[in-house]
Amino acid sequence: MSVLQPHTGTIDSSVYLAANQGTMAWGLLPNAASRPALTVDSGTTVCLDTVSHEGILPDQGRDPVKFFAEAGIPERDVLHDAVELASSAALFDPVVQGPHVVTGPVAVRGALPGDVLEVEVVRLRRRTAYGVISNRHGRGALPGEYPVPAPGHPDGQPVPPVSLIAHVDDDGRGRLPVGDGRDIRFPLAPFLGIMGVAPATQAPVHSVPPGPHGGNLDIRLLGEGARLFLPVQVPDAMFYAGDPHFSQGDGEVALTAFEAPLRATLRLTLHSDTRARRLAAGLAGPYAETAGHCLVTGLDEDLDEAVRKATRAALTYLAERCGLPGAVALAYLSAAVDLRISQVVDGVKGVHVCLPKADLRPLLIDVPAAEDLFR
């Protein structure tokens, strides 16, 4: 495939935001004091480039050309915006910042706290045919067990990260070399791990933990066709996106998934009506819609509490949209609905409830259009 360098290749909107030092933030998310990189009206479709943090981090040498050359990837196939950021004077301290790179923020005119920003994922294009899956010392689902120290590694010293290069074959499937001549092949399902709005604070916002603002949700169902709904925290919303993935399993147990850059086309629509604001206030966090499901979320440092929060959010949705009594709604969730672990590696764990649209449509109350289950 042709590498999608900045300003080259197919751009799916007349409004385009390239990733450069003026539009990228590394390690910290936009906050209430941030200035917009772009301002648009509600309903605008924006095409923006995202950059993966993998390959540019200090523990990988902060030199993506050299890092990827060791895997046989030529310099011409390394993204210019990734090289620009890694070679810049941008300060990056992994002790106080997250690893992620986000593009934005995009201001949406007229957005006010309490409104809801709908982010429709119109198109996701792979910018490269390779990416990285990493496991780092003290992180992931098995800290202290992985990475495994190499023979002769000094006792008490941090174990170097294990960063494995994965590829995209011509048939569009992922391929991870085993190291003995064999490969593991698997399907791809691109999505943006980070989509969010600025939190209502002027303090630095670490990129890793998700929250009511969205951010690092890592919900793998938010691919093309999905719609994410974010409760607006500050005037003009200040939307951003990043942490692109070619694929991820629920849990993301190694620490990262198949991290690789995407060109994302997103439609940003503001909802200010009473119904949308009431539902957002009741759910108290991000929610989403796919072709077959409505998703509500639970976020907490404790996974059990995240499950409880997600269950309460589902009960709120079923009461608000379907008029179900709590006992009936809870019984339905137990009999027919999946709770999935989004991720367990971002400090704040994520759980999302997958409510089947087919079950809910006959029960909807006060909804003018059956497809608009969250609007």
Side-chain angles (χ1 to χ4, degrees), residues 145-156:
E145 297 179 46
Y146 282 84
V148 176
H153 184 79
D155 290 340

Side-chain angles (χ1 to χ4, degrees), residues 62 90-91 94 101 138 141 167 188 213 244 275 303 317 333 345 347 356 373:
R62 196 164 166 168
L91 298 177
V101 180
H167 304 267
L188 302 183
H213 58 282
R275 290 179 64 253
L303 185 58
Y317 172 82
L333 294 177
V345 299
L373 270 66

Side-chain angles (χ1 to χ4, degrees), residues 301-324:
E301 293 181 4
D302 181 274
L303 185 58
D304 287 341
E305 184 60 26
V307 169
R308 287 188 280 269
K309 288 181 176 180
T311 303
R312 293 185 192 111
L315 294 176
T316 296
Y317 172 82
L318 292 171
E320 178 75 19
R321 284 292 186 258
C322 302
L324 294 187

Side-chain angles (χ1 to χ4, degrees), residues 96-113:
V96 297
Q97 294 169 251
H100 307 101
V101 180
V102 298
T103 305
V106 178
V108 181
R109 289 188 184 92
L112 295 174

Side-chain angles (χ1 to χ4, degrees), residues 124-282:
L124 298 171
R125 294 185 183 273
R126 297 190 300 270
R127 299 186 63 198
T128 64
Y130 61 87
V132 184
I133 308 168
S134 284
N135 176 227
R136 289 181 167 84
H137 180 64
R139 302 182 184 276
L142 299 174
E145 297 179 46
Y146 282 84
V148 176
H153 184 79
D155 290 340
Q157 294 297 312
V159 182
V162 173
S163 294
L164 304 179
I165 307 298
H167 304 267
V168 180
D169 286 339
D170 291 341
D171 62 359
R173 289 173 61 83
R175 174 171 52 85
L176 177 63
V178 176
D180 58 6
R182 297 178 298 160
D183 297 302
I184 302 173
R185 302 185 76 247
F186 52 93
L188 302 183
F191 74 101
L192 295 168
I194 291 180
M195 292 187 282
V197 293
T201 179
Q202 295 192 14
V205 181
H206 198 283
S207 73
V208 170
H213 58 282
N216 192 27
L217 293 170
D218 278 332
I219 298 176
R220 68 182 183 92
L221 298 178
L222 299 182
E224 288 185 359
R227 296 188 294 161
L228 175 65
F229 296 82
L230 298 164
V232 174
Q233 316 282 301
V234 303
D236 293 338
M238 304 297 279
F239 172 79
Y240 50 85
D243 190 28
H245 299 74
F246 283 1
S247 68
Q248 179 192 300
D250 286 336
E252 201 181 19
V253 292
L255 175 63
T256 85
F258 189 173
E259 313 280 326
L262 295 168
R263 176 166 290 170
T265 303
L266 310 168
R267 184 173 294 113
L268 305 178
T269 304
L270 184 64
H271 299 284
S272 304
D273 58 282
T274 301
R275 290 179 64 253
R277 291 173 66 95
R278 185 175 66 236
L279 180 62

